[in-house]
Amino acid sequence: MSTSEVTLRDIYLARHMISSVAKRTPLIHSLWLTEHVGGSIYLKLENLQVTGSFKVRGATNKLLNVPQEVRQRGAITVSSGNHGRALSYVARQLGVRAVVCLSEAVPLIKREAIQELGAEAIVCGMTYDEASDYADHLREKQGLVMVHPFDDPFVIAGQGTIGLELLEDLPEIDTVVVPLSGGGLLAGIALALKSASANIRTIGVSMERGPAMVESLRAGKVVDIVEEPTIADALAGGLGPNVYTFNLIQKYVDQTVLVSEKEIAEAMAFALEQHRLVVEGGGAVGIAALLHHKVKEVGRNTAVVLSGSNVDIPLLLRIAQAHRSTRAAFREE
């Protein structure tokens, strides 16, 4: 299947489909980042989305495009947390059974959120890929509908609605910085923006620990990676048998960068201190890339997608306190 099977028209159709479930999120100006980086920097607050992440857009579009008689059998997915929560939320609205397969690495706060929404959360494997294999097994055995977390045309189109909102709220946009894992989010946004202008720069940001898409792009093909513990847990996992996102990222993305665990933690602390925003590690990687000058040619009008807020609050407070202590010690030297 070719990349042409996901189109700008699909993204507009998705916006119409998901409008009653996913909300339009704010785009705010970051004065501090603007002064620090140059150009005008804006933050797209998907961390304020219902269920706490952008994932509800794609999950809603996929499930609503499945014939009712088919989805009534139930839906299943594999998730690093946020997609599972999104699917659970949408399935509950539709009165559909939801099964979410998770690895041991998924934080407890994300597992509990899935269960609170009435879904069946099954921990089945040490890694994302092991959980994915088990999800495929259950799908076949029980006749469930697979709602893939990223490699699905309806999911990609749903995430692409963020690109439409960016174009409408910031028509002058010339650069977008987006968290990059399986690629559904960046593929959808990049497709929308590049359809408006090929000159809009699209930047994907991953963590240094186990960046599956970045390693695959370097190799020129989908490769297996070793999954490592990371504060950006939402970005963990491999690409699996990939039909759509790898090709779309190859075609539409201009640059990818990596950020360290320390840089991600600093970005989380920054969002909390400067903007009073709760942002999880995977959602803060774009800020980290700008804070540490890893994006080449920052444009005059740059949007950074903050993709999620589902972080353990005590952990976030410890990070913020450590960041404050580090700054205080630096000032005393």
Side-chain angles (χ1 to χ4, degrees):
M1 300 172 99
S2 68
T3 58
S4 64
E5 292 187 31
V6 185
T7 67
L8 181 62
R9 181 173 181 268
D10 294 325
I11 296 174
Y12 274 102
L13 288 170
R15 178 155 75 171
H16 176 73
M17 186 69 72
I18 71 175
S19 61
S20 64
V21 180
K23 69 178 182 180
R24 186 187 187 103
T25 55
L27 183 71
I28 66 169
H29 184 248
S30 176
L31 179 60
W32 196 94
L33 274 176
T34 294
E35 293 176 346
H36 180 73
V37 177
S40 292
I41 310 297
Y42 299 83
L43 305 178
K44 179 62 170 169
L45 305 187
E46 284 296 295
N47 59 311
L48 301 184
Q49 186 60 264
V50 60
T51 77
S53 85
F54 73 94
K55 288 286 192 177
V56 73
R57 295 175 184 261
T60 301
N61 193 46
K62 172 62 177 182
L63 211 50
L64 289 178
N65 274 285
V66 174
Q68 184 173 356
E69 64 274 15
V70 176
R71 69 173 180 245
Q72 286 306 315
R73 295 186 222 146
I76 190 168
T77 195
V78 59
S79 175
S80 54
N82 288 341
H83 177 69
R85 184 173 182 177
L87 176 62
S88 304
Y89 178 84
V90 181
R92 186 173 185 174
Q93 308 300 308
L94 298 175
V96 172
R97 176 191 175 206
V99 180
V100 181
C101 294
L102 307 161
S103 77
E104 294 280 358
V106 175
L108 182 60
I109 183 176
K110 293 186 176 182
R111 296 187 209 174
E112 291 176 340
I114 290 167
Q115 292 170 326
E116 287 169 3
L117 288 166
E120 301 166 40
I122 303 175
V123 178
C124 44
M126 296 300 295
T127 67
Y128 176 94
D129 289 345
E130 289 177 1
S132 180
D133 289 341
Y134 189 75
D136 281 333
H137 166 73
L138 276 186
R139 175 187 60 80
E140 282 194 32
K141 182 179 179 180
Q142 300 184 15
L144 303 173
V145 174
M146 175 59 73
V147 181
H148 198 281
F150 55 88
D151 196 41
D152 181 281
F154 292 112
V155 171
I156 295 166
Q159 322 306 24
T161 59
I162 296 170
L164 300 182
E165 292 173 17
L166 289 173
L167 287 166
E168 291 165 353
D169 292 343
L170 186 64
E172 307 89 352
I173 187 172
D174 53 28
T175 307
V176 66
V177 182
V178 183
L180 175 60
S181 178
L185 175 63
L186 181 53
I189 292 174
L191 173 58
L193 296 182
K194 292 288 191 179
S195 295
S197 171
N199 294 324
I200 298 175
R201 284 181 51 77
T202 52
I203 317 295
V205 188
S206 295
M207 67 290 182
E208 291 178 348
R209 296 183 176 180
M213 182 62 79
V214 174
E215 292 297 333
S216 295
L217 290 172
R218 288 173 177 168
K221 63 180 181 179
V222 174
V223 297
D224 294 330
I225 51 95
V226 177
E227 193 171 323
E228 302 178 51
T230 173
I231 194 173
D233 55 87
L235 305 184
L239 302 185
N242 192 281
V243 177
Y244 298 98
T245 58
F246 177 73
N247 290 332
L248 285 165
I249 297 298
Q250 273 191 320
K251 181 176 181 180
Y252 290 115
V253 174
D254 297 302
Q255 182 188 0
T256 59
V257 300
L258 300 178
V259 289
S260 70
E261 299 296 294
K262 180 175 182 291
E263 290 164 349
I264 297 169
E266 289 176 2
M268 295 168 71
F270 166 85
L272 185 62
E273 293 175 4
Q274 297 296 328
H275 291 286
R276 300 298 185 261
L277 291 171
V278 173
V279 185
E280 64 184 284
V285 292
I287 291 177
L290 291 182
L291 284 175
H292 293 275
H293 304 286
K294 295 195 174 184
V295 176
K296 300 174 186 175
E297 303 176 25
V298 175
R300 292 170 60 99
N301 293 283
T302 297
V304 184
V305 178
L306 308 188
S307 57
S309 64
N310 295 318
V311 60
D312 183 58
I313 295 301
L315 171 62
L316 178 60
L317 294 177
R318 288 196 299 273
I319 289 170
Q321 185 58 49
H323 184 253
R324 184 180 294 270
S325 299
T326 300
R327 287 189 301 143
F330 178 78
R331 285 196 297 266
E332 290 172 3
E333 291 179 354

